[in-house]
Amino acid sequence: MDNNNKNSKKNLGLSVKKYDNISEWYSEVVIKSELADYSKVSGCIVYRPLSYGIWENIQEIFNFMIKSSGHKNVYFPMLIPESLLLKEKEHIEGFSPEVAWVTEAGNSKLNEKLAIRPTSETIIYDSYSKWIRSHRDLPLLLNQWCSVVRWEFKHPKPFLRGREFLWQEGHTAHASFEDAEKEVFLILNYYKDLIQNYLAIPVIEGYKSSLEKFAGAHYTTALESFMPDGKALQMATSHHLGQNFSKPFEIKFFNKKGEEEYVYTTSWGLSTRTIGALVLVHGDDKGLVLPPKIAPVQIVIVPIFKEDNKSKVLEFSEKIYNALKDDFKIFFDDRENYTPGWKFNESELKGYPLRLEIGIKEVEDNIVTVFKRNTFEKLKVNVDVLKSKIKTLLDDIQKELFENAKKLLYDNIVKVDSLDEFESALKNNKLIYAGFCGSEECESKIKEQFSITSRVIPFDSEEKNCIVCSKKGKYAYFSKSH
Ligand code: 87F
């Protein structure tokens, strides 16, 4: 078999450049990098090993965080009886067109139809009302990892918009408003840590406006990131639910004074959308670029040999592999049926942060050629210092990706003082920073005129008169959004 034939199974290169058509580029990267594939049901994707590996890393990091503060994982049923889902009508009202139902089994109709969970507040609170009796049962700090189904009709995009996606949903109950508030911000800070320090994506944080908050919430906090297509993407959200759910679900406890009170609850979530953000923010014309701290493969080793030096090169490569394998996530790519060039392309497409290229020259000089995926630099590194050099390089890549993403975010923020400036900033796909009174009335006017809403009102926002009504307000971010 000649080399051409040997690797002709698929064309690895991308046909679209990121900034020529970012939406097409995105779809091509997701499929060709083998992150995900489409299925027979529109909006339902297959999470292939690369994206599932990223998700497992996210799970590991986030589990470590929440377990350190006493949270525990649980699993509730995916089927929710209609009567339960409709118990707190207000929160479900706007969402009901998206709920998918199981109505029959085999040949018989069910007595009561069952919702496939779009979110689990109702089924979880049904249990909480049985489990919580006294202040000694609080706080109750539970989380679940699961998938949810929301029957969207907008055009699906892998990870960013789909009908079934993976997430975690945390649901906690507390004895006081203040305790619940502390929880909301504790979790928001975990999310911020995960997203900035592991996914290398900077966020802006703040409250959602009254129009944009979760209808069931007392208030909603969120982390938003800015994508290179000029649209913001909500990365995670953490809600203070006050007693909005504990009252209809009758979750009551006897406080220390022996009086009966309703609990205060919170809920918070982060989904596989964040994988879409990783692709959009860090990817380039060659494919994915994965931050080392989240990459399922941090280093790929590619041996390059001819028949007469094969054993020398493989032996040396294996020695390198063994020296590094306990410290890093490594793929020793010694597959026989692929050429080194093909493996190079594949590793670039899949975004592996570092590639070690080892040929006979490297063996003779006791060095390794190290390729940095994010900058395309090649370095010759002596084997004696390889481990520490790799540590430094991975740290460098992590920092460089975050710095580039920060530049993307901050270069796109535009402060505006009038609706004219607002309009032109929006045309340029900017992240607009404008005075806003917070009222639903003014935000609805903006929504009507420009088809966008606010993203967040930063926690430390300065005072600024509203761009619509001129009344007292604070700065808020506005932009298109995913
Ligand atoms: C779609 C259908 C039915 C969002 C829905 O943000 C219900 C809903 O309640 C729904 N889409 N929501 C809001 C989810 C609130 C909250 N749940 C826990 C979160 C984070 C995780």
Side-chain angles (χ1 to χ4, degrees):
M1 230 193 276
D2 64 36
N3 280 350
N4 219 357
N5 216 340
K6 194 153 114 181
N7 296 323
S8 60
K9 278 185 227 154
K10 56 190 171 188
N11 175 12
L12 283 185
L14 296 179
S15 68
V16 188
K17 285 192 155 61
K18 184 174 184 184
Y19 290 101
D20 283 353
N21 185 336
I22 193 159
S23 158
E24 274 182 32
W25 167 88
Y26 178 84
S27 305
E28 195 178 15
V29 171
V30 165
I31 298 302
K32 285 203 167 173
S33 68
E34 299 181 349
L35 273 176
D37 203 359
Y38 302 112
S39 78
K40 289 280 189 287
V41 178
S42 169
C44 296
I45 58 161
V46 182
Y47 293 76
R48 300 186 70 179
L50 187 55
S51 65
Y52 206 79
I54 294 171
W55 188 238
E56 285 178 314
N57 289 339
I58 290 175
Q59 291 182 315
E60 193 183 327
I61 297 157
F62 192 66
N63 274 331
F64 182 82
M65 292 173 173
I66 60 174
K67 287 179 186 183
S68 78
S69 48
H71 298 76
K72 294 197 166 103
N73 283 327
V74 289
Y75 186 80
F76 280 75
M78 75 180 312
L79 299 176
I80 305 176
E82 181 179 28
S83 52
L84 198 53
L85 193 76
L86 299 182
K87 205 156 179 174
E88 210 274 313
K89 281 221 174 61
E90 234 172 75
H91 112 266
I92 194 77
E93 233 164 31
F95 298 122
S96 48
E98 288 183 4
V99 178
W101 298 95
V102 176
T103 58
E104 52 194 90
N107 293 322
S108 56
K109 277 223 174 312
L110 302 183
N111 287 331
E112 181 175 15
K113 58 180 184 169
L114 304 170
I116 303 174
R117 75 176 151 236
T119 182
S120 303
E121 275 80 359
T122 55
I123 192 163
I124 289 180
Y125 290 150
D126 188 49
S127 293
Y128 282 12
S129 71
K130 292 188 283 180
W131 297 343
I132 297 171
R133 289 282 171 264
S134 130
H135 62 89
R136 286 180 300 270
D137 301 324
L138 298 172
L140 182 54
L141 309 171
L142 302 182
N143 177 68
Q144 84 173 353
W145 295 92
C146 62
S147 75
V148 286
V149 169
R150 295 175 182 177
W151 215 254
E152 297 242 17
F153 289 93
K154 283 198 212 151
H155 189 65
K157 277 250 144 183
F159 306 114
L160 299 174
R161 195 188 301 128
R163 289 174 168 172
E164 182 186 10
F165 55 86
L166 307 178
W167 76 352
Q168 60 64 222
E169 49 179 321
H171 296 272
T172 68
H174 306 263
S176 71
F177 184 93
E178 293 72 28
D179 287 355
E181 180 147 85
K182 278 187 200 139
E183 170 78 7
V184 167
F185 286 93
L186 175 74
I187 298 296
L188 196 74
N189 283 321
Y190 288 160
Y191 287 144
K192 189 173 166 185
D193 186 8
L194 166 68
I195 295 164
Q196 297 201 141
N197 299 329
Y198 293 83
L199 306 186
I201 299 174
V203 295
I204 51 172
E205 55 181 344
Y207 295 108
K208 283 283 180 183
S209 66
S210 105
L211 195 70
E212 284 292 296
K213 77 174 178 72
F214 170 37
H218 181 69
Y219 62 76
T220 293
T221 68
L223 302 179
E224 299 266 339
S225 296
F226 192 70
M227 299 297 113
D229 58 3
K231 295 179 187 169
L233 183 71
Q234 183 177 299
M235 301 291 281
T237 183
S238 180
H239 310 284
H240 196 310
L241 303 174
Q243 295 175 315
N244 296 352
F245 284 86
S246 65
K247 285 181 176 167
F249 285 88
E250 298 196 71
I251 315 173
K252 290 184 276 191
F253 73 106
F254 286 100
N255 65 22
K256 286 180 183 159
K257 293 182 216 147
E259 305 154 348
E260 206 169 27
E261 271 192 80
Y262 290 105
V263 301
Y264 296 82
T265 67
T266 82
S267 78
W268 24 276
L270 172 140
S271 77
T272 41
R273 286 189 113 194
T274 49
I275 298 176
L278 271 180
V279 177
L280 277 171
V281 170
H282 302 307
D284 65 18
D285 291 345
K286 294 284 181 198
L288 295 176
V289 180
L290 295 177
K293 289 213 261 177
I294 208 72
V297 172
Q298 297 172 310
I299 304 165
V300 57
I301 299 179
V302 181
I304 305 156
F305 53 78
K306 295 212 173 79
E307 220 32 60
D308 62 352
N309 56 34
K310 179 174 175 179
S311 62
K312 272 191 192 159
V313 170
L314 282 180
E315 201 179 299
F316 185 81
S317 304
E318 205 169 317
K319 198 182 80 190
I320 303 283
Y321 170 68
N322 285 324
L324 299 174
K325 73 175 178 356
D326 294 338
D327 295 80
F328 307 101
K329 292 172 177 153
I330 307 197
F331 168 38
F332 183 20
D333 194 356
D334 60 354
R335 290 174 297 175
E336 297 268 354
N337 293 316
Y338 295 90
T339 62
W342 194 93
K343 292 174 183 179
F344 284 14
N345 288 334
E346 187 195 48
S347 68
E348 286 165 32
L349 196 50
K350 287 178 178 280
Y352 303 153
L354 290 177
R355 180 170 72 229
L356 309 189
E357 306 171 2
I358 302 174
I360 191 64
K361 191 89 182 78
E362 278 77 7
V363 179
E364 283 162 5
D365 297 349
N366 198 41
I367 59 160
V368 168
T369 297
V370 181
F371 171 79
K372 242 177 114 196
R373 171 64 183 87
N374 65 323
T375 57
F376 302 98
E377 287 166 276
K378 280 196 182 187
L379 299 88
K380 307 259 181 226
V381 180
N382 195 290
V383 169
D384 302 333
V385 295
L386 187 60
K387 194 189 276 187
S388 70
K389 184 67 188 173
I390 283 180
K391 267 206 182 86
T392 315
L393 285 172
L394 290 175
D395 284 349
D396 290 349
I397 296 172
Q398 187 75 32
K399 282 194 202 115
E400 287 158 10
L401 294 181
F402 188 54
E403 288 309 315
N404 287 342
K406 269 207 276 201
K407 194 166 153 38
L408 168 78
L409 171 61
Y410 293 110
D411 285 357
N412 278 289
I413 296 176
V414 175
K415 224 177 195 179
V416 307
D417 272 315
S418 68
L419 285 174
D420 281 348
E421 286 176 19
F422 189 102
E423 183 166 23
S424 82
L426 184 62
K427 280 208 179 98
N428 291 319
N429 292 326
K430 296 294 179 184
L431 182 54
I432 302 165
Y433 199 45
F436 174 45
C437 68
S439 74
E440 292 187 16
E441 198 187 339
C442 285
E443 190 159 6
S444 298
K445 280 186 187 159
I446 289 177
K447 193 173 179 182
E448 246 166 63
Q449 194 174 344
F450 303 109
S451 307
I452 62 158
T453 55
S454 65
R455 305 280 56 86
V456 285
I457 304 158
F459 298 127
D460 56 0
S461 185
E462 291 162 51
E463 294 201 350
K464 174 75 182 174
N465 290 350
C466 179
I467 196 164
V468 182
C469 70
S470 304
K471 286 187 196 140
K472 227 175 129 174
K474 283 180 172 177
Y475 273 107
Y477 287 101
F478 294 82
S479 73
K480 294 176 190 164
S481 69
H482 276 277

